Amino acid sequence: MHEVEAKTILSARNGMNIYRGCTHGCIYCDTRSRCYGFDHVFEDIEVKTNAPQLLEKALKSKRKKCMIGTGSMCDPYIPLEIDQKLMRRCLQIIDRLGFGATVITKSDRILRDVDLLQSINRKAKAVVQMTLTTYDDELCKVVEPNVCVTSKRFEVLMKMKELGIPTVVWLSPILPFINDTEENIRGILDLCIKAEVKGIICFGMGLTLRDGNREYFYAALDQHFPGLKDRYERTYKMDYEIPSMRSGRLMKIFLETCRAHNILCTPDDCFQYLNEFPYREEQPSLF
């Protein structure tokens, strides 16, 4: 890890990344793409030590309350967070100042901060977003090797359900010839139904590959799925979008299942829900 003093923390859409880089080791990681301009080794995490101070300053300058998001580029619950506690400090600020929060993670370390998530959700709104790609824990250990397996993430979703904290699942990416099976999709959807998730974000059954993450992904295929790299290259060449050959059937299962259980299933609907801040009408005074 290396520490930096950041100049800003919130994006124009009120997203923040406390860390840059990751140690989860997911074989498909898009954030490794060269277009994001990482100028350091991806596993050498950049720690924005002044993130809480920048966040407090930014929130105090806002005229209206809103949802604050994190985790879109780098998971805030990487192992470093155990000692750094920057995410916890940021949640404390969000809670104290009355804003909402939505967090994307693959880690059960988020359970450490359920007290703050509950408090934020009582005052405004907190949403936990959990990525689920692979129903089978053994396969999960291969494609997402350094983070908790799907069954542990499901326990997080069930805990949030128990506490009344809404959840959204990212069903992405789906890797052709690896986890693009009906059994896998139905298995993940069954978990979502049991956890009563509010929505599932799915951009289609497939993944994207760009310079940087393509090379990392293909190296992982050579290591764990010998011969599969050649199949990818023959089928998709240097394409950016890598759709599953079963995409039509799998999307039909996905959409029909979500609609049958009143689960938001289009990206637009899910993002609208995530961005909505629940303004409450003030009760009229009796005096």
Side-chain angles (χ1 to χ4, degrees), residues 10 14 16 55-69 90-102 116-127 274-280:
L10 284 185
N14 299 309
M16 65 176 180
L55 178 63
E56 180 156 10
K57 181 179 179 181
L59 296 189
K60 284 183 175 179
S61 70
K62 286 190 176 293
R63 298 176 64 183
K64 293 178 65 176
K65 298 290 195 293
C66 62
M67 298 296 292
I68 305 300
C90 287
L91 287 175
Q92 288 171 333
I93 292 165
I94 291 170
D95 181 36
R96 174 163 47 83
L97 297 181
F99 284 75
T102 179
L116 291 170
L117 293 169
Q118 277 186 288
S119 181
I120 292 169
N121 198 47
R122 281 194 298 267
K123 299 171 185 175
K125 177 180 171 185
V127 185
L274 290 168
N275 289 322
E276 286 174 343
F277 186 83
Y279 289 101
R280 297 181 174 87

Side-chain angles (χ1 to χ4, degrees), residues 253-271:
I253 292 169
F254 167 68
L255 293 171
E256 288 180 349
T257 303
C258 288
R259 288 165 181 160
H261 293 274
N262 296 314
I263 297 172
L264 299 176
C265 57
T266 69
D268 285 348
D269 286 345
C270 289
F271 289 131

